[in-house]
Amino acid sequence: MVVELRPLTTEDVEAHNAGEDELVVRWLTGGYGTIEGTAEHFAVLADNAAAGVGKRGYGMWVDGRLGGYVDFDPDLDDGLEADEVNLSYCVHPWARGRGVAGEAVALVCALLRSDGIGRRAAIRADPENDASLRVADKAGFRFVREFVSGTDRHPDGSPATLRLYLLDL
């Protein structure tokens, strides 16, 4: 299996949205993407990448097929200290259970190191998201603490408690 990261383009919108399922919505997006909304999001990520600022995202290409999404956000500070860079990811159902997210996280961490972005990579995960907790563990992140998020919410509107995992870059 070969996992590559590539910037997402408007040609990837339909494949990306088709890969969303109840787990992606529950753990990452909070709702299903639309063609217009996803295209707009990809454009923002591309603009940020071109400027070298803010959240930047990539498609996880698995053996040449879009198998998920990963991004990093050096500006997110909910539960994080300065120079800790938040990572988020999702894997399409067909690609799950193959180590795709762990490989993508390793690739993003290598990119952060080479570009000198941040001091530590951070994964903030819901304690019930077993798959994300496994990714953090297998990728060598260390558990730091649980905290009540100031931004993330449960579907009922209550604040989410998240686990913070860090990896020195």
Side-chain angles (χ1 to χ4, degrees):
M1 172 182 73
V2 176
V3 177
E4 299 174 278
L5 300 184
R6 294 186 214 153
L8 292 158
T9 68
T10 54
E11 286 106 33
D12 304 319
V13 169
E14 287 186 35
H16 174 76
N17 286 354
E20 292 182 332
D21 68 352
E22 67 279 351
L23 294 177
V24 171
V25 170
R26 178 177 181 193
W27 300 123
L28 185 64
T29 63
Y32 289 94
T34 64
I35 296 293
E36 298 79 20
T38 302
E40 189 174 299
H41 181 64
F42 288 180
V44 168
L45 296 173
D47 289 347
N48 289 351
V53 299
K55 181 188 280 192
R56 288 157 258 182
Y58 304 88
M60 296 177 192
W61 295 87
V62 182
D63 296 330
R65 181 178 172 194
L66 184 61
Y69 165 89
V70 62
D71 69 36
F72 69 85
D73 189 348
D75 298 331
L76 191 139
D77 60 1
D78 181 47
L80 303 179
E81 295 180 11
D83 285 337
E84 293 175 345
V85 181
N86 187 68
L87 307 184
S88 297
Y89 43 84
C90 69
V91 178
H92 295 173
W94 70 266
R96 290 186 187 140
R98 300 173 57 192
V100 172
E103 183 64 25
V105 165
L107 291 169
V108 167
C109 288
L111 178 86
L112 293 172
R113 279 186 208 98
S114 70
D115 289 353
I117 300 170
R119 190 171 37 95
R120 288 188 286 248
I123 293 176
R124 301 169 332 122
D126 188 295
E128 294 180 15
N129 186 344
D130 293 331
S132 198
L133 301 179
R134 278 192 306 277
V135 168
D137 183 54
K138 288 182 177 184
F141 284 65
R142 72 184 186 290
F143 172 73
V144 176
R145 64 185 161 81
E146 283 194 2
F147 68 98
V148 176
S149 175
T151 58
D152 291 48
R153 301 257 179 240
H154 291 292
D156 67 4
S158 64
T161 296
L162 302 175
R163 288 188 181 169
L164 175 63
Y165 293 82
L166 296 174
L167 177 73
D168 290 333
L169 297 170

